[in-house]
Amino acid sequence: IVNVVTRIVTAPFRALGALFGAGNADNLDSIAFDPGRATLLPPEQEKLKQVAAALGKRPQLRLAVQGGHAAKDRQALQQRSLELAVADKLGRKPPAGQAPGPVNTGDARTQRALEQIFLERNSESALSAFVAETEKSRGKPVDRVNPVLALVGRASADAAFYAALLKRMEQSAPVAVEALKQLADARAKSILEDLAGRHAVPAARLELRPASAEQADAPQAKLILDIARGG
């Protein structure tokens, strides 16, 4: 028993794979997420099923979960903030908890909304400078939407310019450190809720740990095995 427990502590999920025939055990120590999201994906739910089964067979083990976030999460939150801003400007703000959907840079009212949001966050001179920068980089004039014609749905054919304007605003959109921490914690909590709810792992064997610093790789949460302490 001592040897088995030692193996689990030093190489935890590899040992679990050997003991219980789990799939790729080296991948069981992390749960991946889509950028900016905390919803469990089906393949990751299957991994948690394997982890729960292993915990059921080894009652001396407990599991800690540490949420994390990556650079891709920051980018996803920046993109979502602009989608929400455009939807709000167009009077199409989605219900709470629902995504607004992608920005249609070929739509006349959306093009006007993008210019208005840029001006609210910057200035007329900053917009003129961006137009000049775009014209210089691609070697042809920018065709901006006509404010009057936009009211009747006449869009600029220069959707590429508005896509570039959207990207510039996304890149400069602020993302609070607290928002990233909340995302990381939400990921850890979704894992704990899945294990406790769907797989009936006792709460006393589960632990939420503080979120880690920004990761260099894909968005994920870490699973950490420990030895249960006697009460």
Side-chain angles (χ1 to χ4, degrees), residues 17-34:
L19 285 168
F20 310 122
N24 189 347
D26 287 338
N27 290 332
L28 291 179
D29 63 349
S30 64
I31 300 297
F33 290 87
D34 282 337

Side-chain angles (χ1 to χ4, degrees), residues 13 22-35 37-53 63 65-66 187-188 190-195 198-199 215 218-223:
F13 287 94
N24 189 347
D26 287 338
N27 290 332
L28 291 179
D29 63 349
S30 64
I31 300 297
F33 290 87
D34 282 337
R37 304 290 178 184
T39 303
L40 284 171
L41 302 170
E44 308 310 299
Q45 290 178 340
E46 185 60 30
K47 287 163 66 173
L48 289 177
K49 180 180 177 181
Q50 295 177 28
V51 171
L63 184 75
V65 183
Q66 182 182 43
R187 287 170 168 165
S190 69
I191 292 171
L192 293 172
E193 288 170 2
D194 185 75
L195 290 169
R198 210 159 55 98
H199 301 294
Q215 303 155 344
Q220 61 184 5
K222 288 289 186 183
L223 306 184

Side-chain angles (χ1 to χ4, degrees), residues 27-210:
N27 290 332
L28 291 179
D29 63 349
S30 64
I31 300 297
F33 290 87
D34 282 337
R37 304 290 178 184
T39 303
L40 284 171
L41 302 170
E44 308 310 299
Q45 290 178 340
E46 185 60 30
K47 287 163 66 173
L48 289 177
K49 180 180 177 181
Q50 295 177 28
V51 171
L55 290 173
K57 295 178 181 179
R58 280 289 180 268
Q60 72 269 38
L61 293 179
R62 65 198 305 269
L63 184 75
V65 183
Q66 182 182 43
H69 59 86
K72 289 183 179 180
D73 290 314
R74 185 182 298 275
Q75 295 163 7
L77 293 181
Q78 288 175 314
Q79 179 180 335
R80 194 176 309 155
S81 74
L82 262 297
E83 290 172 349
L84 286 168
V86 170
D88 188 51
K89 184 68 72 176
L90 296 175
R92 303 172 186 167
K93 192 172 182 178
Q98 293 188 20
V103 175
N104 179 8
T105 57
D107 173 73
R109 291 187 62 214
T110 301
Q111 291 173 348
R112 279 292 296 153
L114 287 170
E115 289 197 12
Q116 290 168 344
I117 294 168
F118 187 94
L119 290 173
E120 289 168 2
R121 298 182 178 186
N122 300 278
S123 65
E124 185 69 53
S125 61
L127 180 57
S128 298
F130 181 71
V131 169
E133 175 188 324
T134 303
E135 290 178 337
K136 182 178 180 180
S137 66
R138 69 185 191 181
K140 65 178 183 178
V142 164
D143 177 22
R144 291 176 60 181
V145 64
N146 183 296
V148 177
L149 295 179
L151 296 174
V152 294
R154 182 78 62 83
S156 162
D158 199 349
F161 167 72
Y162 288 95
L165 185 64
L166 173 64
K167 185 176 181 180
R168 172 64 62 89
M169 285 193 288
E170 287 176 350
Q171 291 172 340
S172 62
V175 176
V177 173
E178 186 61 25
L180 293 166
K181 181 181 180 299
Q182 289 173 356
L183 174 62
D185 287 341
R187 287 170 168 165
K189 289 174 183 176
S190 69
I191 292 171
L192 293 172
E193 288 170 2
D194 185 75
L195 290 169
R198 210 159 55 98
H199 301 294
V201 177
R205 300 182 63 194
L206 300 172
E207 176 191 350
L208 173 66
R209 292 193 180 175

